[in-house]
Amino acid sequence: MGVPELSAFTVAQKAALCLGSDMWHTAPIPEHDVEALVLSDGPHGLRRQPDGGDHAGIGGSLPATCFPPAVALGSAWDPELAREVGAAIAREARAQGVAVVLGPGINIKRSPLCGRNFEYVSEDPHLAGRVAAGLVEGLQGEGVGACVKHFAANNQETDRLRVNAEVDERTLREIYLPAFEHVITTARPWTVMCAYNKVNGTYASQHRWLLTEVLREEWGFDGLVMSDWGAVADRVPALAAGLDLEMPPHLGVSDRAIVEAVADGTLPEEVLDTAVARVLRLVERARARTAADMADPAHHALARRAAAACMVLLRNDGVLPLASTGRIAVVGAFATTPRYQGAGSSQVNPTRVDSPFDELVAALPDAKVDYAAGFGIDDPSEDAALAEEAVRVAAGADVVVAYLGLPAIAESEGFDRTHIDLPTAQTDLLARLGGAGAPVVVVLANGSAVRTAPWEQHAAAVLECWLGGQAVGGAIADVLTGAADPGGRLAETIPLRLEDTPSYLNFPGEEGLVRYGEGVFVGYRGFDAAGREVAYPFGHGLSYTTFAYDDLAVRVSGTDVTVEVTVSNTGGRTGREVAQLYVGDPEAAVARPPRELKGFAAVELGPGEQRRITFALHARDLSYWSSTERGWLLEGGEFTIEVGASSRDIRQSATVTVGAPRPRPPLTAGSSLDEWLADADGAARLREAAGAAAILGDAELRRVIGNFPLGRLAAFPAMGITDDVLRRLGVV
Ligand code: BGC
C-alpha cells in the first residue's frame, strides 16, 4: 500500500507531518492511513523508550545489546565489523518496532575534551566516514533507517545548543564534512540529524547552505533531515532551509507557525510539500521491514568479538599474553564493575554485562587469581585502606593486572572535560604497584583519550579498551590471554599533554563563539605539522605478532594513483595488521598537513603468511579545497605516498609526480607585480606594454614592492607602470 498523494492532505495535516507527535514518534494521519514511525537512539545499541518514557530516560529503556560505542568501534578500523554490528542493532530495532535508529554520530574529535567523544569515531574524516558507512549499510540492509548525526560542526558539548562554530570553508570541506559526504554518497542513509549549534552565525537547523545546497544539491541526499532534539529555534526558516522534521515537536507553536506562514505567503506551499513528501517517503521505506526476534544470544557473542577487535595494545614488554599458570593479582574496581558505555542519550539498558574479573578467572583455570578493588569507582579521592589492601594482594603475585579508567562522572553528553588525567587515586596506586616488583598490566576504560605519560613507566603493558560495550569483560580476557589478537589501532592521537593538542587555545571558546583556529590541522595533522611529540600517534596499536612491509609499487595514470605493498607476518602467531596509506603534498600553494590518511586495509595473517594490498587514489585524495576557487583543486607536482603501521611508523614511502594543469587565475589590475611576472605570458605582455620601465629591471626594488597590485603602482609614475601601461594591458 502506497502513501496518499500530497493533494489529499490539508495544510494543517501537512504541517503536522513536519513535526513529531511526541518525543519518539512521527505524526500519524489515520484518515489517510499514515502511521507513526518510532525513532530511537542509537547509536551503539537501542535505547527504545517504552511509550510514555522521558527524554534522558537513562534507566528506563527496553533491554538491548550494548555494542562497543563508536570510540571503540572506530578503533577497529573495520567497516565490515561495523556492518555486522549495524545489522544486529537493526534486528533488535525490528523486534522493538523501531523504524529509524538515531545514529551513527560522526562528528570529528576536535579536542580530547569533548564530553561526547565516546560517541564519535575519530579525529580523521576518512576513517570516520568508512566506519560510519559500514554501520549505515548494516542497519539499512536489514530494513531499518539510519540517522547520521550531528550535521555539522558539533564538536563540543559546552553551550552546544547556542554556540557559534566559526569555521572557514576549507576546514569544513576537508575536516568536518567529508565523513558525512562519504556516508551520504555511498551508504545513502534514510535520514540526517542536524546539529544544535550555529555554524558561521546560522543555526544548523536553519542553515540552507548545509541542509540544501551541500547536502542535497552537491551530495545528492534524497532522504529526510530531522532536528536534533530541541534544535529548532524558529520552525519556518528551518523548514525553508531544508529541515523536514522537528523533534520533539513544539506542538501548538511550530505547526501553527507553518500554517500561518503558508496562509500569509511567507512560506511557499511547495516548500512544505517537499518536506511532507520526504516524511511520507520515510514512512513508505519503513513499511518494508519485517519483525524479528529480540535478544539473539549471538549478539552478545558479536559484542564480545567486536570489543576485542577494538582494543588497542599501546605498549607491551612481552608480559602479554599472560601465562596460563601462576599467581595473578587483579586490582581495580573496574574489574568487577566495568565501565562499558557513556552517559546521555546513547545509554543502552544492556541485556547482560560480563564481569572482567569473572571472565579472566574462567579463561585461566590453572592460574590463581586474587582481587582487590584498590580505589572507589565513582569517587576520585584516595582511600588508604583500599589501596593498602591492593598492595597486599599484589605482593608475591607473578603479574598484576590493574583495571583503571575514568569514573562515569568524568565524561558524558552535555558537558566537556576540563583535563585528560586519570584520577590520582589510581595513578598513585599504580606507582606503588609498579614499585613492588611484579610486572603490571594496565587495562584502561575511558571514552576519550587519557594522558599516559605521567604513569606509564610503572606499566609493563597498557591495553586501551575504551568503552567496550556489555561484553567487554570477556573480550578483555580474550585479549589478555591471547585467545584474540588486540585488533585496534588508535583513531585519535594520545597527546603527552593536553596543552599540545592543536585546538587547545580555541576550545571550547567563549561568549557564545568557538573559533576553529587550528583550521585543517586537527589531531595528527596538527601534531605532525608542528613536529610535536605525542605519547601514542594516530594509527598506533601493537599486535602479538610482528609485520613487515615490502615492495611498495606506485603507478600514476593521469590523476589516478595505484599503490601496492606487501604485508608479511614475521612473528610466531596469527595476528591482524592495519596497513595505513598517507598522502602529502610537500609543495603546495596553501599550508597542508604533512600527511593525511587516504586509505587503510586490515589483513589477518598466520605466521609466515603475506598479502599484497592495493589502494586506489583519485584526484580528490590529492586535492585541497581552494577558498578562492570554491572548489577542490589538484595542484600538479610531487606527492608523497607513505604506507605504514601508524602515522609515525611509516614503513615504505615514495614520491610521485602527478600532472595537472596549474590553475592560472586571470591577471588583472588587482594582480600583484610578482604575479604578473611569475606568469610567462603575463610577464611578456607587461614588458611589451611598459617598455623599459625602471622597476622591471630593478630586482632589489621589486623585492620591496613586488606585492603591490599593478593598479596601485600607477600612482607612482616613476616606477614606469603608468595608467597608459594599464590601458595598453587592457586591465582598466
Ligand atoms: C542528542 C541526540 C539524540 C537525541 C535524542 C539529543 O540530545 O544530541 O544525539 O539522538 O537527543 O535522544
Side-chain angles (χ1 to χ4, degrees):
M1 177 184 61
V3 292
E5 293 294 313
L6 279 174
S7 54
F9 297 91
T10 64
V11 170
Q13 286 171 329
K14 291 182 197 173
L17 281 168
C18 293
L19 276 59
S21 57
D22 64 20
M23 193 63 80
W24 304 112
H25 293 87
T26 60
I29 309 280
E31 49 276 48
H32 292 311
D33 296 322
V34 176
E35 65 277 20
L37 300 181
V38 179
L39 318 174
S40 179
D41 286 305
H44 56 270
L46 283 183
R47 188 175 68 100
R48 166 79 157 103
Q49 296 274 287
D51 290 338
D54 66 347
H55 180 203
I58 302 304
S61 58
L62 303 177
T65 308
C66 178
F67 291 96
V71 59
L73 203 56
S75 307
W77 295 58
D78 190 345
E80 187 48 47
L81 179 67
R83 194 171 293 124
E84 279 185 74
V85 169
I89 294 172
R91 283 191 293 275
E92 297 192 8
R94 281 164 45 198
Q96 296 191 359
V98 172
V100 176
V101 173
L102 304 176
I106 58 173
N107 297 95
I108 293 296
K109 300 184 199 219
R110 177 175 172 242
S111 164
L113 295 178
C114 174
R116 222 172 166 181
N117 273 359
F118 66 85
E119 268 193 75
Y120 299 144
V121 180
S122 177
E123 69 187 24
D124 180 86
H126 182 92
L127 179 58
R130 269 60 192 178
V131 172
L135 268 165
V136 171
E137 284 163 10
L139 281 163
Q140 298 192 167
E142 289 281 334
V144 173
C147 181
V148 183
K149 67 189 187 183
H150 310 89
F151 191 63
N154 179 183
N155 308 96
Q156 66 186 56
E157 294 300 282
T158 304
D159 204 14
R160 66 172 163 158
L161 275 93
R162 301 179 307 188
V163 72
N164 177 22
E166 196 177 270
V167 204
D168 64 86
E169 184 171 2
R170 178 176 168 214
T171 301
L172 280 172
R173 295 287 189 166
E174 292 188 23
I175 304 292
Y176 296 100
L177 297 183
F180 287 100
E181 179 181 5
H182 179 76
V183 176
I184 280 148
T185 54
T186 64
R188 312 198 74 78
W190 293 3
T191 72
V192 165
M193 185 189 291
C194 80
Y196 281 130
N197 48 283
K198 294 180 190 139
V199 182
N200 294 325
T202 305
Y203 279 112
S205 60
Q206 291 171 213
H207 214 298
R208 200 190 133 75
W209 180 75
L210 276 175
L211 302 187
T212 297
E213 291 176 34
V214 172
L215 186 64
R216 296 185 185 282
E217 293 168 8
E218 286 186 34
W219 300 344
F221 177 64
D222 63 356
L224 168 143
V225 178
M226 70 179 80
S227 69
D228 197 346
W229 266 232
V232 173
D234 195 344
R235 186 64 186 102
V236 173
L239 194 66
L243 184 99
D244 306 308
L245 178 66
E246 174 181 331
M247 292 302 296
H250 198 172
L251 292 172
V253 174
S254 292
D255 40 0
R256 186 180 313 156
I258 294 173
V259 171
E260 283 172 7
V262 171
D264 69 20
T266 43
L267 181 73
E269 194 165 345
E270 306 85 78
V271 174
L272 179 60
D273 286 351
T274 303
V276 171
R278 292 177 189 144
V279 176
L280 294 177
R281 171 123 198 270
L282 185 66
V283 171
E284 203 163 18
R285 277 175 149 168
R287 278 183 186 163
R289 76 189 191 287
T290 51
D293 282 341
M294 187 51 205
D296 184 340
H299 291 182
H300 186 77
L302 171 60
R304 178 169 177 156
R305 176 159 58 85
C310 301
M311 289 178 190
V312 184
L313 183 58
L314 295 177
R315 61 188 281 162
N316 181 20
D317 73 357
V319 64
L320 292 180
L322 295 174
S324 57
T325 55
R327 256 200 72 194
I328 299 175
V330 167
V331 170
F334 293 109
T336 49
T337 314
R339 249 200 94 210
Y340 57 93
Q341 64 176 332
S345 62
S346 69
Q347 196 161 322
V348 174
N349 178 10
T351 55
R352 55 185 264 205
V353 178
D354 288 350
S355 151
F357 176 73
D358 292 348
E359 293 292 336
L360 190 64
V361 170
L364 294 172
D366 299 326
K368 180 168 176 347
V369 190
D370 296 312
Y371 168 73
F375 51 85
I377 202 139
D378 291 324
D379 180 7
S381 60
E382 312 238 353
D383 183 321
L386 287 181
E388 211 51 55
E389 188 208 355
V391 171
R392 194 179 45 72
V393 166
D398 298 307
V399 59
V400 178
V401 184
Y403 290 75
L404 310 182
L406 289 177
I409 47 162
E411 49 184 352
S412 165
E413 177 176 344
F415 61 88
D416 295 316
R417 291 191 292 169
T418 53
H419 66 81
I420 57 169
D421 287 309
L422 286 178
T424 49
Q426 297 182 29
T427 52
D428 287 352
L429 175 61
L430 178 63
R432 292 181 67 187
L433 296 172
V440 183
V441 175
V442 170
V443 175
L444 286 174
N446 45 291
S448 176
V450 293
R451 212 147 74 98
T452 57
W455 49 261
E456 64 179 329
Q457 72 273 18
H458 304 300
V462 180
L463 182 65
E464 174 57 88
C465 303
W466 304 114
L467 302 178
Q470 68 179 45
V472 72
I476 294 172
D478 291 341
V479 171
L480 291 180
T481 58
D485 199 39
R489 302 294 183 266
L490 289 179
E492 59 199 280
T493 306
I494 300 188
L496 285 171
R497 306 178 316 151
L498 173 66
E499 295 86 327
D500 296 338
T501 53
S503 60
Y504 178 69
L505 292 176
N506 289 294
F507 186 96
E510 60 222 349
E511 298 188 328
L513 176 71
V514 52
R515 288 195 182 86
Y516 285 36
E518 69 287 356
V520 299
F521 295 97
V522 174
Y524 70 92
R525 289 167 165 79
F527 284 104
D528 285 358
R532 223 167 264 157
E533 285 305 308
V534 300
Y536 292 102
F538 177 81
H540 170 77
L542 303 174
S543 158
Y544 288 146
T545 186
T546 49
F547 297 94
Y549 290 68
D550 295 290
D551 300 330
L552 179 73
V554 186
R555 281 191 314 278
V556 179
S557 161
T559 54
D560 290 338
V561 181
T562 309
V563 181
E564 287 182 66
V565 73
T566 301
V567 178
S568 320
N569 182 342
T570 51
R573 306 171 63 100
T574 295
R576 174 179 188 266
E577 177 67 331
V578 180
Q580 301 158 36
L581 171 67
Y582 296 91
V583 173
D585 182 4
E587 275 183 22
V590 296
R592 297 190 69 176
R595 61 185 55 78
E596 299 186 85
L597 184 78
K598 296 294 173 183
F600 62 90
V603 283
E604 184 161 305
L605 298 173
E609 243 191 292
Q610 56 176 227
R611 187 138 337 131
R612 191 92 178 133
I613 298 173
T614 305
F615 301 99
L617 296 170
H618 306 290
R620 169 73 185 270
D621 299 311
L622 309 175
S623 304
Y624 69 89
W625 179 268
S626 163
S627 305
T628 47
E629 302 283 311
R630 293 210 67 203
W632 294 101
L633 200 74
L634 172 56
E635 261 188 298
E638 291 193 339
F639 290 86
T640 51
I641 305 292
E642 301 177 317
V643 180
S646 87
S647 58
R648 295 217 171 160
D649 184 8
I650 301 300
R651 305 289 187 85
Q652 298 266 294
S653 63
T655 302
V656 295
T657 302
V658 178
R662 256 206 133 62
R664 250 182 46 177
L667 291 167
T668 65
S671 308
S672 70
L673 178 62
D674 284 343
E675 285 164 354
W676 276 89
L677 293 175
D679 182 284
D681 181 47
R685 281 168 58 207
L686 185 56
R687 289 217 158 79
E688 196 190 323
I695 188 179
L696 297 181
D698 185 339
E700 207 154 307
L701 182 58
R702 263 174 48 200
R703 283 195 10 219
V704 179
I705 58 154
N707 56 11
F708 263 61
L710 221 54
R712 308 272 191 92
L713 284 174
F716 304 82
M719 305 285 175
I721 312 277
T722 58
D723 287 316
D724 270 352
V725 172
L726 298 182
R727 270 192 288 277
R728 278 199 286 281
L729 287 169
V731 295
V732 286

